[in-house]
Amino acid sequence: MPNDVVTHILHRLPLQDAVRTAILSRNWRFKWTMLTQLIFDENFFEYLLETEGENNYGSIISSLIPHLKGVITKFVLYIEQRTYRILDDEDINHWILLLSKKGIKDLTFCKENGPRLKLPKHLFSCLELQHLKLVSCCFDPPASFNGFPNLLSLELRSVQFESGKFGEFFTQCPVLETLNFGFTFPAGNVKLTEISKLANLKTLSLLLFSLENTMITSSSSIFELVSAFPRLEELHLDFIKFKFTEGDAEKRFQYTTFPCFKTLKLSRIDLCNGIMLTCAFEMIRSFPNLETLEITASYWDDSPTPGNCSLEVDYNTMGLLQLRSVVFTYLKGSENEVCLIKYLLACSPILKKLVIHPHSCLASDEKLMFAMKLLKLHRASPVAEIDLCWF
């Protein structure tokens, strides 16, 4: 078989099995050295624990990397708490140095629990990077760092910048298409004005709590942000620990059409809170080309405010949507939630499926009552299905 076919087969195997192909025959002895992707995940470390013991983790990985013949395009390191006690920081620093010389394009460091993984300065010499994912890490770009000129996707979760200059880091990635960040430290240090400079963004995922406190006061602030990205296709907003300024929450936004925008995800939003519910309504109504909607509910407001909706409202008069797929998770069947579902069913003539995953606290009789309400609602789409996932 041609070498590219062999390499493709090896990449389909767990790393430990790809290396073990060396015992198949003399011809296959060094085929594994053509690997261009190294995935050190939980399964890999479980295998090492069973076969080699805990003390050899670092040395085994260190011996694998230099044996690879060509570039290493992808490197994934999953560090669980037990593994972190065994791996040496010097080993990780050495691996990143080797990768910076191997043309690395896709790099993931994912650490589970414990102290954050401190990444070395060598990371910022990996200028061919196209995809970077960091979970529970901390780092500080050197003063000489001018950005990742080829970076297309960036995911940061539970990441700490020692300098705190998140915005400068984002803006130094001029071709970035996907930005996903969760909890950052220090919190509230990311400015919308800095994110809005990323004109090529197609996918944006934000933990609103991480934004500068004064920047998001209403749903109109979100639309102003989105309007800065003419190519945006997908938006994911996480509302945990976040509250709008009540006086500004219901400002209407004079929007323009977003021709590329197709997917909206709202996570941990309290639909029992009238301000949050209004925000959800406004966002859905303001994206006329929206095809996919996913909402994960949360109930963290101790004093919920009533929503500006009623089951008696005729939503047929509110304009048509292009929704094809809707998924709700953790619903309790409140009047606000039913109102939102009624609106979506009444205004979505090409909807195919609406899926509902209930909150685990609902008793059987409450689920039945919720289901009876939903099945009575008018559906504008003749093919729309309501998938109740508790039956």
Side-chain angles (χ1 to χ4, degrees):
M1 291 181 290
N3 285 341
D4 60 334
V5 175
V6 173
T7 304
H8 186 73
I9 293 173
L10 292 174
H11 286 157
R12 298 287 179 176
L13 299 174
L15 180 58
Q16 62 270 22
D17 293 336
V19 175
R20 291 173 67 194
T21 59
I23 67 172
L24 292 177
S25 69
R26 182 179 300 174
N27 185 45
W28 274 81
R29 184 177 180 184
F30 297 107
K31 293 291 187 183
W32 69 270
T33 63
M34 297 189 298
L35 284 169
T36 62
Q37 301 178 11
L38 294 176
I39 312 296
F40 300 106
D41 56 10
E42 187 175 2
N43 291 331
F44 176 80
F45 287 112
E46 286 292 340
Y47 169 78
L48 288 188
L49 182 62
E50 295 175 0
T51 58
E52 304 291 338
E54 293 186 346
N55 297 325
N56 295 325
Y57 283 14
S59 60
I60 289 174
I61 297 176
S62 295
S63 65
L64 282 176
I65 297 175
H67 278 87
L68 301 185
K69 293 180 179 179
V71 298
I72 301 176
T73 59
K74 184 174 183 178
F75 183 92
V76 175
L77 179 63
Y78 175 84
I79 307 173
E80 60 177 2
Q81 191 167 5
R82 178 182 57 188
T83 307
Y84 183 71
R85 294 196 303 268
I86 302 165
L87 293 177
D88 193 305
D89 285 348
E90 291 186 6
D91 284 331
I92 296 175
N93 295 346
H94 180 59
W95 302 338
I96 295 179
L97 177 60
L98 292 176
L99 293 171
S100 69
K101 299 176 181 179
K102 285 278 192 175
I104 185 70
K105 298 183 186 301
D106 189 336
L107 183 60
T108 296
F109 283 97
C110 183
K111 187 174 179 301
E112 178 187 276
N113 301 323
R116 291 184 183 84
L117 176 67
K118 185 175 177 60
L119 299 177
K121 304 291 186 182
H122 305 309
L123 172 67
F124 302 97
S125 61
C126 302
L127 298 182
E128 296 183 45
L129 271 179
Q130 295 181 358
H131 307 280
L132 178 61
K133 178 180 178 179
L134 303 176
V135 179
S136 194
C137 299
C138 65
F139 59 93
D140 191 19
S144 59
F145 178 65
N146 293 316
F148 292 118
N150 302 302
L151 196 66
L152 297 175
S153 69
L154 175 63
E155 181 174 349
L156 304 175
R157 287 192 283 122
S158 190
V159 168
Q160 179 176 353
F161 280 57
E162 295 184 356
S163 65
K165 297 180 180 179
F166 287 95
E168 290 184 11
F169 184 73
F170 295 150
T171 56
Q172 289 176 321
C173 305
V175 297
L176 196 65
E177 295 181 353
T178 299
L179 174 60
N180 181 344
F181 72 88
F183 282 107
T184 54
F185 299 87
N189 200 42
V190 181
K191 298 180 180 179
L192 291 184
T193 53
E194 294 169 331
I195 299 177
S196 63
K197 295 177 182 179
L198 302 173
N200 292 312
L201 274 187
K202 295 181 179 179
T203 302
L204 177 60
S205 180
L206 297 176
L207 177 70
L208 295 178
F209 179 71
S210 292
L211 297 177
E212 190 177 48
N213 295 334
T214 59
M215 298 309 294
I216 295 287
T217 59
S218 67
S219 55
S220 62
S221 303
I222 296 175
F223 295 124
E224 289 168 6
L225 169 65
V226 174
S227 65
F229 309 119
R231 301 181 183 179
L232 195 66
E233 299 174 3
E234 180 174 329
L235 177 64
H236 179 189
L237 299 177
D238 192 331
F239 289 81
I240 189 171
K241 294 186 178 182
F242 180 79
K243 291 185 178 182
F244 288 118
T245 301
E246 188 168 354
D248 293 333
E250 298 182 17
K251 287 183 178 179
R252 294 300 301 272
F253 178 69
Q254 300 299 319
Y255 62 87
T256 56
T257 301
F258 299 90
C260 302
F261 195 90
K262 305 294 183 183
T263 301
L264 176 63
K265 299 180 181 180
L266 306 177
S267 294
R268 295 186 279 195
I269 182 170
D270 189 352
L271 297 176
C272 291
N273 180 293
I275 299 172
M276 291 290 185
L277 179 68
T278 299
C279 174
F281 264 103
E282 289 301 315
M283 294 191 71
I284 295 168
R285 293 172 59 187
S286 299
F287 299 124
N289 297 313
L290 190 64
E291 295 181 358
T292 301
L293 174 66
E294 297 180 14
I295 296 180
T296 301
S298 181
Y299 305 91
W300 41 263
D301 194 336
D302 294 331
S303 54
T305 57
N308 296 325
C309 69
S310 169
L311 291 175
E312 304 303 321
V313 174
D314 183 5
Y315 291 113
N316 293 291
T317 63
M318 298 180 66
L320 297 180
L321 304 172
Q322 301 300 313
L323 283 170
R324 290 168 169 77
S325 173
V326 177
V327 178
F328 284 98
T329 305
Y330 298 140
L331 295 195
K332 289 185 176 180
S334 68
E335 183 174 347
N336 283 1
E337 293 168 350
V338 176
C339 283
L340 181 56
I341 294 171
K342 178 180 178 180
Y343 163 59
L344 297 177
L345 289 174
C347 300
S348 304
I350 57 176
L351 182 67
K352 294 182 178 179
K353 179 173 284 192
L354 187 146
V355 180
I356 299 177
H357 301 274
H359 196 283
S360 57
C361 71
L362 286 185
S364 298
D365 57 335
E366 292 174 315
K367 292 178 182 178
L368 181 59
M369 291 286 292
F370 189 14
M372 292 176 62
K373 290 180 183 179
L374 296 178
L375 295 176
K376 293 178 181 179
L377 299 179
H378 169 70
R379 308 179 200 183
S381 171
V383 297
E385 297 179 5
I386 299 180
D387 189 351
L388 306 178
C389 295
W390 56 86
F391 292 115

